[in-house]
Amino acid sequence: MMSPVERTDAQVVRDVLSGDRDAYRFLVRRYGSVLQGHALRMTDNPDDAADLVQRAFVKGFKKLASCRDPDRVGPWLFRILANFCKDHVRSPRRSDVSVTMLSGALRGGSDPSSDAEGAEIRTRVWGALDALTPEQKEAFVLKHVEGRTYEEIAAVMDMSVAALKMRVHRAREALKGLLEEYA
Amino acid sequence: MTNEIHRHLDGELPAEALAEEDRETVDEWDRMVASFRQSAPHGSAPTWLEQRVMAEVELLPERGVLNRLFAWLVSPAPVRVSPLAAALVAAGVVFVLMLPGPGTAVPEPGASTSSAVEVVYVQFLLNAPAASSVAVAGDFTEWQPSFTLEDLDGDGVWSGRVPVRPGVHGYMFLVDETEWTTDPNAGRYQDDGFGNQNAVLAVGTSS
């Protein structure tokens, strides 16, 4: 019997679709941390992030037969999670985070290494992201925080590089606008 | 932000090509991005994730026979064919193709004998701000989501022009490659036999 590490994604997908549902755990192990990391950066809340990742994996299992390219089931799962994250960001919450908290952090000058100031900056900059649309926030996080290339993001999100660039540009403009407004 | 700044941040333009004012903006931007990166939350999947996902998966009903048959049909699998068998099959196909047909189709009065197929380009629209991708599939694509709609301006409205032959067609949108969505703005709908409603599109000829 093939060990988990020897099974390709396509083999795991085929096994699961053939009735070996336990094989699905290999995908959870393989992609759990990548998905968790992105969900954390989108939600800034470990519990919410883990909940979204769990829901994404369960939905992925239910819809596995519609994954057109089993070799790329990882990006396919990522896309499911990304949509959950955007819905979560879109839902009304954390209204106590005001965009006016932006100014100090965006001007720079504070030392993030200091615990207190670091925590304050963290609240400011991540609160700032909530002023963006979910799509802009996602594009900004993937491009500038996770440091992915346009080609990589476009492939994962199944959109053209041109459309993605436009979204990232708008996210930058929005953050820049906030910076100027509250500086 | 100027277009030059965006091009620089996209790695398409060196910093030396920027105006002094733009360089200051870029410096400011770099500080901001550094703040984001320094404070970005990191973490691996919680240890209970696998257990909880699998527990939930185990509670799901068994896939139906039809679903498993469909999965088997669409899953690629290696097929072994000996050269001799392949040659025999090919020869058989050629033989059948060379046989005279039972009769020649006679065009009905008024029907065009031209081999050119008239195609009408239909504009499809779907408002789906949360979507990452939208494709259209219908009997004109043999229900393959082969035409992808685009949202170039990021306003959440996905659109695209799709060539469709004249006639009455059922269609659906496939959102994020997983969600089959009925067009809420279709003029007509029909039951798809599986409990969902297909949108119906009537395409007339131009003549």
Side-chain angles (χ1 to χ4, degrees), chain A residues 18 21 25 29 59 61 79 83 86 112 125-126 135 144 150 165-166 169-170 172-173, chain B residues 6 10 12 29 36-39 45 50 56-57 60 63 68 129 132 152-153 176-177 179:
Chain A
S18 300
R21 60 175 65 194
R25 70 173 68 250
R29 289 178 194 167
K59 182 172 181 178
F61 179 86
R79 199 149 50 237
N83 287 328
K86 280 185 285 189
V125 295
W126 290 92
E135 289 76 19
H144 287 298
Y150 277 124
K165 277 189 179 180
M166 190 173 295
H169 291 188
R170 287 183 176 176
R172 288 178 191 152
E173 298 283 358
Chain B
H6 284 301
D10 290 341
E12 298 169 356
W29 175 265
F36 276 107
R37 284 191 172 159
Q38 282 175 326
S39 59
E50 179 184 328
E56 203 166 337
V57 160
L60 295 172
R63 290 178 195 278
R68 291 175 66 173
S132 296
L152 290 178
D153 57 5
D176 297 337
E177 298 185 7
E179 298 287 348

mmCIF file of all heavy atoms in Angstrom, chain A residues 18 21 25 29 59 61 79 83 86 112 125-126 135 144 150 165-166 169-170 172-173, chain B residues 6 10 12 29 36-39 45 50 56-57 60 63 68 129 132 152-153 176-177 179:
data_model
loop_
_atom_site.group_PDB
_atom_site.id
_atom_site.type_symbol
_atom_site.label_atom_id
_atom_site.label_comp_id
_atom_site.label_asym_id
_atom_site.label_seq_id
_atom_site.Cartn_x
_atom_site.Cartn_y
_atom_site.Cartn_z
ATOM 1 N N SER A 18 -13.385 7.239 -5.287
ATOM 2 C CA SER A 18 -13.719 5.820 -5.454
ATOM 3 C C SER A 18 -14.286 5.221 -4.179
ATOM 4 O O SER A 18 -14.595 4.032 -4.155
ATOM 5 C CB SER A 18 -12.464 5.042 -5.872
ATOM 6 O OG SER A 18 -11.962 5.542 -7.078
ATOM 7 N N ARG A 21 -12.822 7.377 1.603
ATOM 8 C CA ARG A 21 -12.915 8.742 2.131
ATOM 9 C C ARG A 21 -11.823 9.048 3.146
ATOM 10 O O ARG A 21 -11.472 10.200 3.346
ATOM 11 C CB ARG A 21 -14.302 9.037 2.704
ATOM 12 C CG ARG A 21 -14.735 8.147 3.843
ATOM 13 C CD ARG A 21 -16.068 8.614 4.411
ATOM 14 N NE ARG A 21 -17.163 8.498 3.456
ATOM 15 C CZ ARG A 21 -18.348 9.080 3.614
ATOM 16 N NH1 ARG A 21 -18.603 9.816 4.675
ATOM 17 N NH2 ARG A 21 -19.295 8.927 2.723
ATOM 18 N N ARG A 25 -7.746 12.638 4.418
ATOM 19 C CA ARG A 25 -6.941 13.235 5.482
ATOM 20 C C ARG A 25 -5.558 13.644 4.973
ATOM 21 O O ARG A 25 -4.927 14.522 5.512
ATOM 22 C CB ARG A 25 -6.825 12.302 6.677
ATOM 23 C CG ARG A 25 -5.992 11.067 6.487
ATOM 24 C CD ARG A 25 -5.817 10.300 7.796
ATOM 25 N NE ARG A 25 -7.057 9.706 8.290
ATOM 26 C CZ ARG A 25 -7.705 10.135 9.377
ATOM 27 N NH1 ARG A 25 -7.227 11.131 10.085
ATOM 28 N NH2 ARG A 25 -8.824 9.552 9.762
ATOM 29 N N ARG A 29 -3.675 17.151 5.746
ATOM 30 C CA ARG A 29 -2.316 17.294 6.273
ATOM 31 C C ARG A 29 -1.451 18.122 5.329
ATOM 32 O O ARG A 29 -0.653 18.944 5.755
ATOM 33 C CB ARG A 29 -1.668 15.910 6.421
ATOM 34 C CG ARG A 29 -2.245 15.093 7.539
ATOM 35 C CD ARG A 29 -1.585 13.727 7.590
ATOM 36 N NE ARG A 29 -2.340 12.822 8.444
ATOM 37 C CZ ARG A 29 -2.148 11.514 8.481
ATOM 38 N NH1 ARG A 29 -1.232 10.954 7.724
ATOM 39 N NH2 ARG A 29 -2.868 10.748 9.275
ATOM 40 N N LYS A 59 -16.268 21.353 2.675
ATOM 41 C CA LYS A 59 -16.903 21.674 1.403
ATOM 42 C C LYS A 59 -16.109 21.061 0.254
ATOM 43 O O LYS A 59 -16.672 20.568 -0.725
ATOM 44 C CB LYS A 59 -16.998 23.197 1.215
ATOM 45 C CG LYS A 59 -17.705 23.564 -0.082
ATOM 46 C CD LYS A 59 -17.995 25.035 -0.204
ATOM 47 C CE LYS A 59 -18.726 25.338 -1.506
ATOM 48 N NZ LYS A 59 -19.060 26.753 -1.641
ATOM 49 N N PHE A 61 -14.473 18.339 0.280
ATOM 50 C CA PHE A 61 -14.808 16.913 0.207
ATOM 51 C C PHE A 61 -16.131 16.723 -0.526
ATOM 52 O O PHE A 61 -16.255 15.857 -1.390
ATOM 53 C CB PHE A 61 -14.889 16.319 1.615
ATOM 54 C CG PHE A 61 -15.254 14.864 1.619
ATOM 55 C CD1 PHE A 61 -14.269 13.892 1.479
ATOM 56 C CD2 PHE A 61 -16.573 14.457 1.734
ATOM 57 C CE1 PHE A 61 -14.610 12.537 1.462
ATOM 58 C CE2 PHE A 61 -16.917 13.111 1.713
ATOM 59 C CZ PHE A 61 -15.934 12.154 1.581
ATOM 60 N N ARG A 79 -8.907 28.094 -3.168
ATOM 61 C CA ARG A 79 -9.928 28.993 -3.725
ATOM 62 C C ARG A 79 -11.220 28.907 -2.899
ATOM 63 O O ARG A 79 -11.889 29.906 -2.662
ATOM 64 C CB ARG A 79 -10.180 28.609 -5.186
ATOM 65 C CG ARG A 79 -10.845 29.672 -5.995
ATOM 66 C CD ARG A 79 -10.433 29.623 -7.455
ATOM 67 N NE ARG A 79 -10.538 28.312 -8.053
ATOM 68 C CZ ARG A 79 -9.541 27.669 -8.635
ATOM 69 N NH1 ARG A 79 -8.366 28.209 -8.682
ATOM 70 N NH2 ARG A 79 -9.719 26.497 -9.184
ATOM 71 N N ASN A 83 -12.773 32.126 -0.700
ATOM 72 C CA ASN A 83 -14.143 32.643 -0.773
ATOM 73 C C ASN A 83 -14.795 32.693 0.606
ATOM 74 O O ASN A 83 -15.515 33.637 0.915
ATOM 75 C CB ASN A 83 -14.972 31.786 -1.732
ATOM 76 C CG ASN A 83 -14.590 32.050 -3.169
ATOM 77 O OD1 ASN A 83 -14.215 33.154 -3.523
ATOM 78 N ND2 ASN A 83 -14.643 31.026 -3.996
ATOM 79 N N LYS A 86 -13.380 35.757 2.277
ATOM 80 C CA LYS A 86 -13.961 37.014 1.807
ATOM 81 C C LYS A 86 -15.362 37.207 2.390
ATOM 82 O O LYS A 86 -15.737 38.306 2.771
ATOM 83 C CB LYS A 86 -14.003 37.025 0.266
ATOM 84 C CG LYS A 86 -12.657 37.390 -0.337
ATOM 85 C CD LYS A 86 -12.738 37.514 -1.829
ATOM 86 C CE LYS A 86 -12.826 36.161 -2.467
ATOM 87 N NZ LYS A 86 -12.687 36.194 -3.937
ATOM 88 N N PRO A 112 8.295 48.452 15.969
ATOM 89 C CA PRO A 112 7.423 47.315 16.174
ATOM 90 C C PRO A 112 8.026 46.282 17.118
ATOM 91 O O PRO A 112 7.339 45.380 17.567
ATOM 92 C CB PRO A 112 7.260 46.710 14.771
ATOM 93 C CG PRO A 112 7.874 47.667 13.828
ATOM 94 C CD PRO A 112 8.796 48.539 14.612
ATOM 95 N N VAL A 125 -2.487 48.485 11.597
ATOM 96 C CA VAL A 125 -2.315 48.110 10.191
ATOM 97 C C VAL A 125 -3.320 47.061 9.769
ATOM 98 O O VAL A 125 -3.838 47.083 8.649
ATOM 99 C CB VAL A 125 -0.880 47.639 9.894
ATOM 100 C CG1 VAL A 125 0.096 48.773 10.081
ATOM 101 C CG2 VAL A 125 -0.497 46.436 10.736
ATOM 102 N N TRP A 126 -3.619 46.129 10.673
ATOM 103 C CA TRP A 126 -4.586 45.098 10.271
ATOM 104 C C TRP A 126 -5.998 45.623 10.350
ATOM 105 O O TRP A 126 -6.882 45.145 9.638
ATOM 106 C CB TRP A 126 -4.373 43.824 11.077
ATOM 107 C CG TRP A 126 -3.087 43.200 10.627
ATOM 108 C CD1 TRP A 126 -1.847 43.396 11.160
ATOM 109 C CD2 TRP A 126 -2.896 42.399 9.462
ATOM 110 N NE1 TRP A 126 -0.894 42.763 10.404
ATOM 111 C CE2 TRP A 126 -1.510 42.133 9.367
ATOM 112 C CE3 TRP A 126 -3.748 41.882 8.499
ATOM 113 C CZ2 TRP A 126 -0.964 41.367 8.338
ATOM 114 C CZ3 TRP A 126 -3.214 41.118 7.476
ATOM 115 C CH2 TRP A 126 -1.835 40.869 7.402
ATOM 116 N N GLU A 135 -12.247 41.755 -1.656
ATOM 117 C CA GLU A 135 -11.439 41.372 -2.806
ATOM 118 C C GLU A 135 -10.104 42.125 -2.797
ATOM 119 O O GLU A 135 -9.045 41.562 -3.117
ATOM 120 C CB GLU A 135 -12.183 41.668 -4.118
ATOM 121 C CG GLU A 135 -13.354 40.747 -4.390
ATOM 122 C CD GLU A 135 -14.572 41.065 -3.541
ATOM 123 O OE1 GLU A 135 -14.643 42.214 -3.015
ATOM 124 O OE2 GLU A 135 -15.442 40.201 -3.383
ATOM 125 N N HIS A 144 1.300 41.471 -1.244
ATOM 126 C CA HIS A 144 2.290 42.227 -0.467
ATOM 127 C C HIS A 144 2.627 41.606 0.885
ATOM 128 O O HIS A 144 3.706 41.857 1.410
ATOM 129 C CB HIS A 144 1.812 43.666 -0.273
ATOM 130 C CG HIS A 144 1.900 44.470 -1.533
ATOM 131 N ND1 HIS A 144 3.094 44.726 -2.169
ATOM 132 C CD2 HIS A 144 0.943 45.030 -2.300
ATOM 133 C CE1 HIS A 144 2.876 45.433 -3.252
ATOM 134 N NE2 HIS A 144 1.582 45.633 -3.367
ATOM 135 N N TYR A 150 2.298 37.724 -9.223
ATOM 136 C CA TYR A 150 1.010 37.894 -9.884
ATOM 137 C C TYR A 150 0.581 36.605 -10.581
ATOM 138 O O TYR A 150 -0.590 36.219 -10.540
ATOM 139 C CB TYR A 150 1.096 39.017 -10.917
ATOM 140 C CG TYR A 150 0.931 40.407 -10.334
ATOM 141 C CD1 TYR A 150 1.895 41.380 -10.525
ATOM 142 C CD2 TYR A 150 -0.206 40.733 -9.610
ATOM 143 C CE1 TYR A 150 1.749 42.651 -9.998
ATOM 144 C CE2 TYR A 150 -0.372 42.004 -9.079
ATOM 145 C CZ TYR A 150 0.603 42.955 -9.278
ATOM 146 O OH TYR A 150 0.445 44.202 -8.754
ATOM 147 N N LYS A 165 -3.877 42.602 -11.417
ATOM 148 C CA LYS A 165 -3.068 43.811 -11.214
ATOM 149 C C LYS A 165 -3.964 45.006 -10.920
ATOM 150 O O LYS A 165 -3.669 45.831 -10.051
ATOM 151 C CB LYS A 165 -2.227 44.103 -12.465
ATOM 152 C CG LYS A 165 -0.946 43.302 -12.526
ATOM 153 C CD LYS A 165 -0.081 43.795 -13.667
ATOM 154 C CE LYS A 165 1.215 43.003 -13.726
ATOM 155 N NZ LYS A 165 2.096 43.449 -14.815
ATOM 156 N N MET A 166 -5.053 45.089 -11.659
ATOM 157 C CA MET A 166 -5.966 46.214 -11.439
ATOM 158 C C MET A 166 -6.504 46.188 -10.002
ATOM 159 O O MET A 166 -6.618 47.209 -9.338
ATOM 160 C CB MET A 166 -7.117 46.138 -12.440
ATOM 161 C CG MET A 166 -7.971 47.375 -12.466
ATOM 162 S SD MET A 166 -9.180 47.316 -13.787
ATOM 163 C CE MET A 166 -8.118 47.350 -15.218
ATOM 164 N N HIS A 169 -3.741 47.282 -7.655
ATOM 165 C CA HIS A 169 -3.539 48.727 -7.777
ATOM 166 C C HIS A 169 -4.611 49.488 -6.993
ATOM 167 O O HIS A 169 -4.330 50.465 -6.314
ATOM 168 C CB HIS A 169 -3.585 49.138 -9.257
ATOM 169 C CG HIS A 169 -2.401 48.643 -10.035
ATOM 170 N ND1 HIS A 169 -2.144 49.028 -11.328
ATOM 171 C CD2 HIS A 169 -1.405 47.784 -9.704
ATOM 172 C CE1 HIS A 169 -1.047 48.418 -11.757
ATOM 173 N NE2 HIS A 169 -0.588 47.667 -10.791
ATOM 174 N N ARG A 170 -5.842 49.002 -7.099
ATOM 175 C CA ARG A 170 -6.935 49.687 -6.387
ATOM 176 C C ARG A 170 -6.779 49.547 -4.874
ATOM 177 O O ARG A 170 -7.110 50.455 -4.118
ATOM 178 C CB ARG A 170 -8.271 49.127 -6.832
ATOM 179 C CG ARG A 170 -8.627 49.589 -8.223
ATOM 180 C CD ARG A 170 -9.966 49.116 -8.653
ATOM 181 N NE ARG A 170 -10.282 49.680 -9.961
ATOM 182 C CZ ARG A 170 -11.369 49.392 -10.635
ATOM 183 N NH1 ARG A 170 -12.262 48.579 -10.131
ATOM 184 N NH2 ARG A 170 -11.586 49.942 -11.809
ATOM 185 N N ARG A 172 -3.920 49.332 -3.328
ATOM 186 C CA ARG A 172 -2.863 50.293 -2.956
ATOM 187 C C ARG A 172 -3.423 51.706 -2.883
ATOM 188 O O ARG A 172 -3.154 52.459 -1.943
ATOM 189 C CB ARG A 172 -1.742 50.261 -4.000
ATOM 190 C CG ARG A 172 -0.885 49.028 -3.973
ATOM 191 C CD ARG A 172 0.124 49.145 -5.105
ATOM 192 N NE ARG A 172 0.844 47.910 -5.336
ATOM 193 C CZ ARG A 172 1.352 47.558 -6.500
ATOM 194 N NH1 ARG A 172 1.211 48.349 -7.555
ATOM 195 N NH2 ARG A 172 2.012 46.428 -6.636
ATOM 196 N N GLU A 173 -4.202 52.057 -3.900
ATOM 197 C CA GLU A 173 -4.772 53.407 -3.934
ATOM 198 C C GLU A 173 -5.647 53.649 -2.709
ATOM 199 O O GLU A 173 -5.615 54.730 -2.108
ATOM 200 C CB GLU A 173 -5.607 53.604 -5.203
ATOM 201 C CG GLU A 173 -4.840 53.495 -6.511
ATOM 202 C CD GLU A 173 -4.008 54.723 -6.832
ATOM 203 O OE1 GLU A 173 -4.060 55.681 -6.041
ATOM 204 O OE2 GLU A 173 -3.300 54.715 -7.857
ATOM 205 N N HIS B 6 3.010 52.326 -9.566
ATOM 206 C CA HIS B 6 2.461 50.961 -9.636
ATOM 207 C C HIS B 6 3.398 50.049 -10.426
ATOM 208 O O HIS B 6 3.632 48.905 -10.033
ATOM 209 C CB HIS B 6 1.077 50.985 -10.293
ATOM 210 C CG HIS B 6 -0.005 51.495 -9.391
ATOM 211 N ND1 HIS B 6 -0.290 50.895 -8.187
ATOM 212 C CD2 HIS B 6 -0.861 52.536 -9.519
ATOM 213 C CE1 HIS B 6 -1.294 51.552 -7.597
ATOM 214 N NE2 HIS B 6 -1.650 52.557 -8.391
ATOM 215 N N ASP B 10 5.246 46.807 -9.066
ATOM 216 C CA ASP B 10 5.001 45.528 -9.740
ATOM 217 C C ASP B 10 6.295 44.940 -10.299
ATOM 218 O O ASP B 10 6.270 43.900 -10.960
ATOM 219 C CB ASP B 10 3.990 45.716 -10.888
ATOM 220 C CG ASP B 10 2.589 45.994 -10.354
ATOM 221 O OD1 ASP B 10 2.339 45.695 -9.174
ATOM 222 O OD2 ASP B 10 1.759 46.515 -11.122
ATOM 223 N N GLU B 12 8.193 46.320 -12.612
ATOM 224 C CA GLU B 12 8.348 46.575 -14.048
ATOM 225 C C GLU B 12 9.186 47.807 -14.337
ATOM 226 O O GLU B 12 9.527 48.075 -15.488
ATOM 227 C CB GLU B 12 6.954 46.760 -14.678
ATOM 228 C CG GLU B 12 6.066 45.530 -14.567
ATOM 229 C CD GLU B 12 4.621 45.819 -14.960
ATOM 230 O OE1 GLU B 12 4.315 47.004 -15.238
ATOM 231 O OE2 GLU B 12 3.831 44.880 -14.967
ATOM 232 N N TRP B 29 5.469 53.865 1.091
ATOM 233 C CA TRP B 29 4.762 52.614 0.837
ATOM 234 C C TRP B 29 5.565 51.434 1.391
ATOM 235 O O TRP B 29 5.011 50.535 2.022
ATOM 236 C CB TRP B 29 4.528 52.446 -0.662
ATOM 237 C CG TRP B 29 3.918 51.117 -1.006
ATOM 238 C CD1 TRP B 29 4.578 49.991 -1.398
ATOM 239 C CD2 TRP B 29 2.534 50.753 -0.928
ATOM 240 N NE1 TRP B 29 3.695 48.960 -1.586
ATOM 241 C CE2 TRP B 29 2.429 49.401 -1.299
ATOM 242 C CE3 TRP B 29 1.379 51.450 -0.574
ATOM 243 C CZ2 TRP B 29 1.222 48.732 -1.332
ATOM 244 C CZ3 TRP B 29 0.176 50.767 -0.620
ATOM 245 C CH2 TRP B 29 0.098 49.440 -0.991
ATOM 246 N N PHE B 36 3.124 45.823 7.715
ATOM 247 C CA PHE B 36 2.193 44.713 7.523
ATOM 248 C C PHE B 36 2.908 43.375 7.679
ATOM 249 O O PHE B 36 2.428 42.471 8.353
ATOM 250 C CB PHE B 36 1.555 44.776 6.133
ATOM 251 C CG PHE B 36 0.362 45.687 6.065
ATOM 252 C CD1 PHE B 36 0.435 46.911 5.437
ATOM 253 C CD2 PHE B 36 -0.845 45.297 6.628
ATOM 254 C CE1 PHE B 36 -0.668 47.747 5.368
ATOM 255 C CE2 PHE B 36 -1.949 46.120 6.570
ATOM 256 C CZ PHE B 36 -1.868 47.355 5.943
ATOM 257 N N ARG B 37 4.074 43.280 7.035
ATOM 258 C CA ARG B 37 4.767 41.988 7.058
ATOM 259 C C ARG B 37 5.272 41.644 8.453
ATOM 260 O O ARG B 37 5.209 40.498 8.880
ATOM 261 C CB ARG B 37 5.931 42.008 6.066
ATOM 262 C CG ARG B 37 5.454 41.872 4.632
ATOM 263 C CD ARG B 37 6.597 41.628 3.694
ATOM 264 N NE ARG B 37 6.117 41.317 2.359
ATOM 265 C CZ ARG B 37 6.823 41.448 1.266
ATOM 266 N NH1 ARG B 37 8.076 41.878 1.350
ATOM 267 N NH2 ARG B 37 6.326 41.133 0.095
ATOM 268 N N GLN B 38 5.796 42.672 9.155
ATOM 269 C CA GLN B 38 6.319 42.416 10.497
ATOM 270 C C GLN B 38 5.223 41.966 11.448
ATOM 271 O O GLN B 38 5.452 41.168 12.350
ATOM 272 C CB GLN B 38 6.972 43.682 11.057
ATOM 273 C CG GLN B 38 8.357 43.945 10.490
ATOM 274 C CD GLN B 38 8.916 45.267 10.980
ATOM 275 O OE1 GLN B 38 8.166 46.215 11.178
ATOM 276 N NE2 GLN B 38 10.219 45.322 11.169
ATOM 277 N N SER B 39 4.036 42.496 11.217
ATOM 278 C CA SER B 39 2.967 42.202 12.164
ATOM 279 C C SER B 39 2.006 41.140 11.654
ATOM 280 O O SER B 39 1.001 40.863 12.291
ATOM 281 C CB SER B 39 2.190 43.489 12.456
ATOM 282 O OG SER B 39 1.663 44.008 11.253
ATOM 283 N N ALA B 45 -1.600 24.815 10.983
ATOM 284 C CA ALA B 45 -2.939 24.291 11.247
ATOM 285 C C ALA B 45 -3.004 23.729 12.658
ATOM 286 O O ALA B 45 -2.049 23.103 13.119
ATOM 287 C CB ALA B 45 -3.257 23.202 10.228
ATOM 288 N N GLU B 50 -7.311 18.040 11.455
ATOM 289 C CA GLU B 50 -7.508 16.799 10.695
ATOM 290 C C GLU B 50 -8.601 15.941 11.329
ATOM 291 O O GLU B 50 -9.484 15.425 10.634
ATOM 292 C CB GLU B 50 -6.197 16.026 10.635
ATOM 293 C CG GLU B 50 -6.310 14.715 9.888
ATOM 294 C CD GLU B 50 -5.003 13.931 9.938
ATOM 295 O OE1 GLU B 50 -3.924 14.566 9.977
ATOM 296 O OE2 GLU B 50 -5.055 12.693 9.953
ATOM 297 N N GLU B 56 -16.210 15.080 10.570
ATOM 298 C CA GLU B 56 -17.348 15.649 9.837
ATOM 299 C C GLU B 56 -17.561 14.919 8.511
ATOM 300 O O GLU B 56 -18.685 14.674 8.089
ATOM 301 C CB GLU B 56 -17.112 17.147 9.596
ATOM 302 C CG GLU B 56 -18.388 17.902 9.375
ATOM 303 C CD GLU B 56 -18.206 19.416 9.468
ATOM 304 O OE1 GLU B 56 -17.236 19.876 10.111
ATOM 305 O OE2 GLU B 56 -19.018 20.126 8.887
ATOM 306 N N VAL B 57 -16.452 14.589 7.866
ATOM 307 C CA VAL B 57 -16.526 13.877 6.593
ATOM 308 C C VAL B 57 -17.181 12.509 6.793
ATOM 309 O O VAL B 57 -17.986 12.060 5.971
ATOM 310 C CB VAL B 57 -15.098 13.734 6.003
ATOM 311 C CG1 VAL B 57 -15.036 12.613 4.982
ATOM 312 C CG2 VAL B 57 -14.663 15.058 5.370
ATOM 313 N N LEU B 60 -20.912 12.470 6.675
ATOM 314 C CA LEU B 60 -21.599 12.780 5.419
ATOM 315 C C LEU B 60 -22.139 11.495 4.808
ATOM 316 O O LEU B 60 -21.533 10.437 4.953
ATOM 317 C CB LEU B 60 -20.631 13.467 4.439
ATOM 318 C CG LEU B 60 -20.129 14.849 4.871
ATOM 319 C CD1 LEU B 60 -19.046 15.334 3.916
ATOM 320 C CD2 LEU B 60 -21.287 15.840 4.897
ATOM 321 N N ARG B 63 -21.465 8.632 -0.969
ATOM 322 C CA ARG B 63 -21.730 9.122 -2.323
ATOM 323 C C ARG B 63 -22.636 8.134 -3.049
ATOM 324 O O ARG B 63 -22.458 6.934 -2.945
ATOM 325 C CB ARG B 63 -20.429 9.247 -3.116
ATOM 326 C CG ARG B 63 -19.553 10.349 -2.648
ATOM 327 C CD ARG B 63 -18.262 10.361 -3.448
ATOM 328 N NE ARG B 63 -17.264 11.185 -2.784
ATOM 329 C CZ ARG B 63 -17.204 12.504 -2.884
ATOM 330 N NH1 ARG B 63 -18.069 13.137 -3.626
ATOM 331 N NH2 ARG B 63 -16.280 13.183 -2.252
ATOM 332 N N ARG B 68 -20.562 8.249 -8.022
ATOM 333 C CA ARG B 68 -19.314 7.497 -8.138
ATOM 334 C C ARG B 68 -19.062 7.087 -9.581
ATOM 335 O O ARG B 68 -17.927 7.082 -10.052
ATOM 336 C CB ARG B 68 -19.363 6.282 -7.215
ATOM 337 C CG ARG B 68 -19.336 6.681 -5.757
ATOM 338 C CD ARG B 68 -19.495 5.541 -4.824
ATOM 339 N NE ARG B 68 -18.378 4.616 -4.873
ATOM 340 C CZ ARG B 68 -18.224 3.600 -4.032
ATOM 341 N NH1 ARG B 68 -19.110 3.406 -3.095
ATOM 342 N NH2 ARG B 68 -17.194 2.804 -4.124
ATOM 343 N N PRO B 129 -20.258 39.491 -6.596
ATOM 344 C CA PRO B 129 -19.100 40.207 -6.019
ATOM 345 C C PRO B 129 -18.157 39.295 -5.234
ATOM 346 O O PRO B 129 -16.971 39.580 -5.133
ATOM 347 C CB PRO B 129 -19.749 41.239 -5.092
ATOM 348 C CG PRO B 129 -21.182 41.288 -5.455
ATOM 349 C CD PRO B 129 -21.533 39.993 -6.082
ATOM 350 N N SER B 132 -14.655 34.362 -7.332
ATOM 351 C CA SER B 132 -13.303 34.472 -7.873
ATOM 352 C C SER B 132 -13.263 34.056 -9.332
ATOM 353 O O SER B 132 -12.318 34.380 -10.046
ATOM 354 C CB SER B 132 -12.343 33.588 -7.085
ATOM 355 O OG SER B 132 -12.259 34.030 -5.763
ATOM 356 N N LEU B 152 -13.233 42.626 -15.172
ATOM 357 C CA LEU B 152 -11.982 43.375 -15.323
ATOM 358 C C LEU B 152 -11.901 44.590 -14.414
ATOM 359 O O LEU B 152 -10.829 44.967 -13.961
ATOM 360 C CB LEU B 152 -11.813 43.809 -16.786
ATOM 361 C CG LEU B 152 -11.521 42.668 -17.753
ATOM 362 C CD1 LEU B 152 -11.419 43.195 -19.176
ATOM 363 C CD2 LEU B 152 -10.239 41.936 -17.369
ATOM 364 N N ASP B 153 -13.043 45.237 -14.154
ATOM 365 C CA ASP B 153 -12.987 46.440 -13.327
ATOM 366 C C ASP B 153 -13.232 46.148 -11.852
ATOM 367 O O ASP B 153 -13.265 47.060 -11.038
ATOM 368 C CB ASP B 153 -13.974 47.499 -13.832
ATOM 369 C CG ASP B 153 -15.397 46.961 -13.876
ATOM 370 O OD1 ASP B 153 -15.597 45.818 -13.425
ATOM 371 O OD2 ASP B 153 -16.285 47.681 -14.356
ATOM 372 N N ASP B 176 -16.871 29.932 -9.050
ATOM 373 C CA ASP B 176 -15.727 29.393 -8.290
ATOM 374 C C ASP B 176 -15.521 27.904 -8.530
ATOM 375 O O ASP B 176 -15.056 27.180 -7.638
ATOM 376 C CB ASP B 176 -15.895 29.662 -6.784
ATOM 377 C CG ASP B 176 -15.900 31.139 -6.478
ATOM 378 O OD1 ASP B 176 -15.353 31.902 -7.298
ATOM 379 O OD2 ASP B 176 -16.474 31.531 -5.454
ATOM 380 N N GLU B 177 -15.914 27.473 -9.711
ATOM 381 C CA GLU B 177 -15.712 26.087 -10.135
ATOM 382 C C GLU B 177 -16.470 25.075 -9.283
ATOM 383 O O GLU B 177 -16.268 23.865 -9.440
ATOM 384 C CB GLU B 177 -14.220 25.723 -10.132
ATOM 385 C CG GLU B 177 -13.416 26.552 -11.094
ATOM 386 C CD GLU B 177 -11.976 26.098 -11.175
ATOM 387 O OE1 GLU B 177 -11.647 25.073 -10.578
ATOM 388 O OE2 GLU B 177 -11.199 26.777 -11.861
ATOM 389 N N GLU B 179 -19.909 26.071 -7.559
ATOM 390 C CA GLU B 179 -21.310 26.372 -7.312
ATOM 391 C C GLU B 179 -22.068 26.579 -8.620
ATOM 392 O O GLU B 179 -21.861 27.569 -9.320
ATOM 393 C CB GLU B 179 -21.422 27.647 -6.451
ATOM 394 C CG GLU B 179 -20.786 27.528 -5.084
ATOM 395 C CD GLU B 179 -21.593 26.667 -4.134
ATOM 396 O OE1 GLU B 179 -22.751 26.350 -4.460
ATOM 397 O OE2 GLU B 179 -21.052 26.291 -3.077
#
